[in-house]
Amino acid sequence: MLLKDKVAIVTGAASGIGKEIAFEFARVGAKVVIADLALEQAKACADEIGKEGFQAMAVAMDVTSEAQVDQGVADTVKAYGGVDILISNAGIQIINPVVDLTLDQWNKMLAIHLTGGFLTTRACMREMVKAGKGGSIIYMGSVHSHEASPLKAPYVASKHGLLGLARVVAKEGAKDGIRSNVICPGFVRTPLVDKQIPEQAKELGISEADVVKNVMLKDTVDGEFTTTADVAQTAIFLAGFPSNALTGQSVLVSHGWCMK
Ligand code: NAD
C-alpha cells in the first residue's frame, strides 16, 4: 500500500500500457488521473476504474500543448490536492526510412515523446517542489532508448533523448526528493505495435509472422512479448521506491532483448 492515496498522472492512459498502469495504480490505492488526447476516451477509462471501486479522474491533455498540460496539472491539483507521481507515457510510432521521412513526421514524434516529456515534467515538478513532499517521475522509454532499429529514426532518437531528460531531472530533483527513472519495455502487444506489424512487413518485404518472429522478438531469450502487466508492475516498483538510491536509471523489461 505504498502508493495509497498518492496522486498519479498517467499520460496516454486511455490505451495500451498507460491504461494498464492506470488500473494497477488505482488497484494499489493511488488516485489516478487519466490524461489523453480525447476527453471522452479518458473519461471512459476513468469510469471503468471507478466501477471497480477505485479513484480516477479524466483530463483532456495533448502533451505537446503547453496550455493543456498546465491546465491538466492544475485541474489535478484542484481535485486531488497535489501530484506525487507522473508517468510520462503518451506516444506514437512512425515507420519510415530516414530518406523518406518528412520534417513533419520528425517534428511530430519529437514533440510528443520529448517535448511532451518536458512539459509534463515541468508542470508536475513545480507542484512537487511547492508541496515539499518529493515525488516520482517515470518516463516510458523503450529498448529503443538503448538500441536502434531501421525505419524508426525519430522514435529511437526520442527514446534515447528521454534518458538524458530523466538524468537531468534526477540531479535537479534530488534536493526536493523527486526521483526520475525510465522504463524501457521490449515489444508489447498494444494498438501501437499491432499497427506497425503490417507497416513493417510492407517496408521490409516480409510476412507479418516474420516481422513478429524475426524482427520484433528475434533477440529475446524466449520469443515472448513483454506484457502491459510486466510494465505496470515495474512502474509500481519504481513509483513506490523509498529513496534517491534508485534515480536517474533506466530499467529494461524486454525478455532479455537488451541487457544493460
Ligand atoms: P497505444 O497506442 O496503445 O497508446 C498510446 C496512447 O497515447 C493513446 O491512448 C494515445 O491517444 C495517446 N497519445 C498519443 N499522442 C498523444 C498526445 N499528443 N498527447 C496525449 N496522449 C497522446 O501505445 P502503447 O504501446 O501503450 O505505448 C505507450 C508508450 O509505451 C509509448 O510511449 C510507447 O513509445 C512506449 N512503448 C511501447 C512499446 C510497445 O511495444 N507497445 C514498447 C516500448 C515502449
Side-chain angles (χ1 to χ4, degrees):
M1 299 304 274
L2 278 172
L3 301 183
K4 176 131 183 56
D5 290 331
K6 298 283 183 196
V7 178
I9 298 180
V10 187
T11 70
S15 174
I17 292 171
K19 188 170 180 181
E20 181 83 13
I21 289 175
F23 270 80
E24 288 306 315
F25 272 60
R27 287 179 184 131
V28 296
K31 297 176 185 168
V32 178
V33 181
I34 311 293
D36 212 304
L37 287 173
L39 187 58
E40 281 307 299
Q41 282 176 356
K43 269 191 175 149
C45 185
D47 287 349
E48 273 183 65
I49 292 175
K51 277 188 198 133
E52 284 197 18
F54 304 115
Q55 301 181 82
M57 64 179 269
V59 295
M61 184 190 287
D62 177 343
V63 297
T64 69
S65 158
E66 185 176 24
Q68 285 190 27
V69 168
D70 289 349
Q71 189 61 54
V73 173
D75 290 347
T76 300
V77 172
K78 198 167 167 208
Y80 285 157
V83 185
D84 302 295
I85 298 156
L86 165 66
I87 314 277
S88 174
N89 164 79
I92 61 163
Q93 181 58 280
I94 294 171
I95 301 293
N96 222 351
V98 171
V99 290
D100 294 333
L101 264 178
T102 65
L103 180 58
D104 277 352
Q105 288 176 320
W106 174 267
N107 285 339
K108 185 175 181 188
M109 184 68 84
L110 268 69
I112 294 173
H113 289 269
L114 266 183
T115 308
F118 157 64
L119 288 173
T120 50
T121 297
R122 187 182 65 179
C124 290
M125 244 180 127
R126 284 175 174 166
E127 293 300 332
M128 290 171 182
V129 170
K130 219 191 299 173
K133 294 188 298 173
S136 173
I137 295 177
I138 297 173
Y139 300 95
M140 201 51 62
S142 161
V143 164
H144 286 113
S145 298
H146 295 277
E147 304 278 353
S149 293
L151 312 178
K152 296 185 175 176
Y155 187 83
V156 171
S158 302
K159 293 301 190 188
H160 274 66
L162 285 177
L163 296 179
L165 177 60
R167 288 167 183 160
V168 173
V169 171
K171 292 201 172 197
E172 291 186 5
K175 65 181 185 316
D176 294 297
I178 299 167
R179 296 175 300 104
S180 160
N181 292 290
V182 187
I183 300 177
C184 298
F187 280 102
V188 183
R189 269 326 267 265
T190 65
L192 179 138
V193 162
D194 286 338
K195 178 171 170 285
Q196 64 181 280
I197 293 172
E199 291 173 354
Q200 288 219 44
K202 193 166 164 229
E203 282 289 343
L204 298 171
I206 58 178
S207 71
E208 292 187 18
D210 280 342
V211 170
V212 171
K213 190 162 181 263
N214 299 325
V215 178
M216 293 183 164
L217 304 180
K218 177 170 72 75
D219 294 320
T220 60
V221 295
D222 53 9
E224 298 279 343
F225 277 101
T226 300
T227 65
T228 55
D230 296 326
V231 181
Q233 288 310 316
T234 309
I236 285 176
F237 167 70
L238 286 173
F241 200 82
S243 80
N244 280 341
L246 191 44
T247 194
Q249 304 304 308
S250 74
V251 179
L252 283 143
V253 191
S254 69
H255 283 256
W257 166 13
C258 180
M259 301 186 187
K260 284 207 161 117

